[in-house]
Amino acid sequence: MHIDLYFTPHQTDELALRERTVVVIDVLRASTTIITALSNGAREIIPVATVESAVKISGNHFGDVILLGGERNGRMIDGFNLGNSPAEYTVERVKGKAVIFSTTNGSQALVKARYARELFVCGFVNVGTVAEALWRTPRDFTILCAGSDGLLSMEDSVCAGMLISRVGAGGETDPELSDGALVARTLHRTFGRGILKMIRSSDHGRRLAEIGFDGDLRYCAGVDTLPVLPLLEGNVIKLRSEVEKKEAVDHSQET
Ligand code: MLT
């Protein structure tokens, strides 16, 4: 098993990610928000790169089955229903709804990886579940960190390192690591014992605390609090359990 890693989406392109297994990580906060929304019963998340495409896509849907969610500069976008704080994505707000989702960095990473053979969304909150999926069916994979405005972010890198360590611990043979993956694993070994402290001292963590989202930092630092596996199915992100349920129904209708 070979693991490689990009610290930001700017380091790669759609072609390089095509047909790969890709894990997208944006701890603060897009990954954590997507994982939370799906855990709380959202039907699907539709990641889009721009506010304009979000509004355009939502125009094709009627009623209150669709929500617009996301941020620019950490705050809710004008005219949207939800921002990018996982605390907003409660069962009451999202159950049964599709969320069209656009954020500054996380959505860009997801859109860039949209031609992957399989794509998983990972944060600290579900890192064990993603690791288990990868070591149970070993295959080469690429970690794509969202970073922040084209720069490496500490929290994504440490989460990537935790994922790599967990995959290594679960599998029978040690994975082969690219230099980027090795650096992330080393960062996790150095900072992994104090996740919240590391997040609070990161660039984006400090910015979010300044604009009133300190509670999100604590939430996003929780390890294995939401044991679910979000994956890309067509152009939308769903929980693996929902995808499997649909496959079982389709199969029983065919036979
Ligand atoms: C992003 O995608 O850039 C982040 O999720 C920003 C944020 O924390 O809202």
Side-chain angles (χ1 to χ4, degrees):
M1 179 197 278
H2 180 86
I3 306 177
D4 63 7
L5 179 146
Y6 298 106
F7 289 103
T8 82
H10 298 248
Q11 294 178 321
T12 186
D13 58 33
E14 287 165 354
L15 260 179
L17 299 171
R18 203 183 179 99
E19 295 305 318
R20 306 251 335 145
T21 294
V22 179
V23 179
V24 171
I25 298 182
D26 184 11
V27 169
L28 296 178
R29 294 166 291 176
S31 289
T32 313
T33 298
I34 290 170
I35 298 160
T36 301
L38 291 170
S39 294
N40 283 343
R43 199 176 72 237
E44 60 198 24
I45 308 291
I46 306 163
V48 295
T50 65
V51 175
E52 292 71 30
S53 346
V55 173
K56 200 165 157 198
I57 295 171
S58 72
N60 300 334
H61 297 270
F62 302 102
D64 59 359
V65 289
I66 288 270
L67 296 171
L68 283 167
E71 58 69 43
R72 288 297 180 271
N73 299 315
R75 299 180 201 275
M76 187 160 80
I77 300 162
D78 272 353
F80 274 35
N81 309 98
L82 297 158
N84 188 28
S85 168
E88 294 172 67
Y89 289 69
T90 58
V91 176
E92 293 70 28
R93 293 301 299 278
V94 303
K95 195 168 171 36
K97 311 266 170 78
V99 184
I100 301 172
F101 190 67
S102 183
T103 66
T104 315
N105 301 289
S107 299
Q108 317 305 323
L110 289 163
V111 168
K112 197 163 244 188
R114 66 187 182 278
Y115 302 123
R117 186 162 53 82
E118 40 181 11
L119 185 160
F120 302 129
V121 179
C122 179
F124 286 113
V125 292
N126 71 338
V127 62
T129 307
V130 178
E132 188 177 341
L134 291 163
W135 66 254
R136 277 202 185 280
T137 316
R139 68 278 224 189
D140 297 347
F141 68 93
T142 299
I143 300 175
L144 179 60
C145 296
S148 191
D149 299 325
L151 300 173
L152 173 154
S153 48
M154 192 63 171
E155 66 283 3
D156 293 347
S157 311
V158 173
C159 183
M162 184 183 278
L163 177 69
I164 293 163
S165 299
R166 298 263 190 114
V167 171
E172 277 165 20
T173 50
D174 282 343
E176 183 186 278
L177 304 184
S178 69
D179 285 2
L182 199 55
V183 168
R185 195 179 64 180
T186 308
L187 286 175
H188 171 246
R189 287 183 177 163
T190 307
F191 294 100
R193 283 173 192 275
I195 303 289
L196 181 57
K197 189 166 169 228
M198 175 277 296
I199 284 187
R200 283 203 166 123
S201 61
S202 68
D203 288 340
H204 193 48
R206 285 200 306 268
R207 267 196 305 274
L208 286 173
E210 269 164 31
I211 59 170
F213 290 112
D214 188 62
D216 284 359
L217 305 189
R218 180 175 289 280
Y219 181 84
C220 295
V223 176
D224 291 331
T225 49
L226 299 171
V228 294
L229 186 67
L231 49 83
L232 191 72
E233 159 90 348
N235 289 326
V236 306
I237 300 167
K238 293 181 174 198
L239 286 189
R240 176 175 57 183
S241 50
E242 294 303 315
V243 174
E244 285 172 351
K245 247 188 255 166
K246 185 176 171 297
E247 282 170 0
V249 171
D250 291 350
H251 183 70
S252 72
Q253 282 168 352
E254 277 164 21
T255 51

